[in-house]
Amino acid sequence: MKRLSATLAAATLALGMGSTAQAQESPAIDIKIMTLDTAYDLARATLEACREEGVNVAVTVVDRGGNTQVVLRDTLAMDITLAISQQKAYTAMSFNGPLSEMEDRFTKPFQVGKVDGLVFSAGGLPIHAAGRIVGGVGVSGAPSGETDEMCARVGIDAVQMDLEMIQ
C-alpha cells in the first residue's frame, strides 16, 4: 500500500511538472518585422552615405526571412551590383554578423561558403531591433568592401531609433 501511494505521488508530481513546462511553452512565436518605410529609409541613407564618398552603389535590404524588401541602384552603379548587394544582405542576415568578419572563414572547397547565393565579402550587415535580428543590408559598388560596409553602417544608424522602438 505504501509502495502504491509512493508511486501515485511520484506520478502526480511528474504530471504536475510536465503540465507546468507545457503551460510555459507557447504555441506561437513572437516575430518582429521591419516595416517597408524603415527598410526604405535605411536603404536611402545607405545610398546617400556612399554618394558622399563619391561612389554609386546598389543597396539591398532583406527581411528576417531573406526576402528582398528594398533595392536601390544608383544611376551609374553597374548591373552586377544588384545581385551582389542582395547576396551580401542575405548572407549577413543568415549568419547574423558583419561580412567583413567572415571574409576568410570559409576558404576550403565544398564548405558552406561555396553555396550559391552566399557572398562572404565586406559590405553586408545584419539589422537588429530590440535585440533580435530583423533583416540584413548589403551594399555593392564601392572600390572596397570596407566602404560598402561603412555606408551600410550609416544606413542602419539612421534608422536605429525606429528599430529600437520595435517591442
Side-chain angles (χ1 to χ4, degrees), residues 3-80:
R3 190 175 199 170
L4 181 60
S5 295
T7 304
L8 285 173
T12 302
L13 181 61
L15 285 173
M17 289 183 355
S19 64
T20 302
Q22 288 175 349
Q24 293 173 350
E25 187 176 317
S26 173
I29 298 172
D30 184 25
I31 297 175
K32 305 303 178 192
I33 299 173
M34 183 172 37
T35 66
L36 176 63
D37 291 339
T38 299
Y40 174 77
D41 291 344
L42 190 159
R44 185 68 190 188
T46 300
L47 188 78
E48 291 297 330
C50 278
R51 282 181 173 175
E52 288 179 19
E53 296 295 314
V55 292
N56 280 224
V57 298
V59 179
T60 301
V61 176
V62 299
D63 65 16
R64 63 175 283 111
N67 303 300
T68 301
Q69 270 192 290
V70 175
V71 178
L72 298 177
R73 184 180 66 86
D74 211 343
T75 308
L76 299 177
M78 297 187 312
D79 290 346
I80 191 70

Side-chain angles (χ1 to χ4, degrees), residues 110-160:
F110 309 110
Q111 284 188 322
V112 72
K114 307 298 187 237
V115 173
D116 286 342
L118 299 178
V119 171
F120 290 94
S121 62
L125 294 171
I127 304 166
H128 295 101
R132 296 182 179 170
I133 189 162
V134 294
V137 57
V139 182
S140 177
S144 72
E146 289 74 25
T147 302
D148 287 339
E149 195 162 303
M150 182 275 304
C151 295
R153 172 63 50 213
V154 170
I156 291 172
D157 289 347
V159 298
Q160 194 63 54

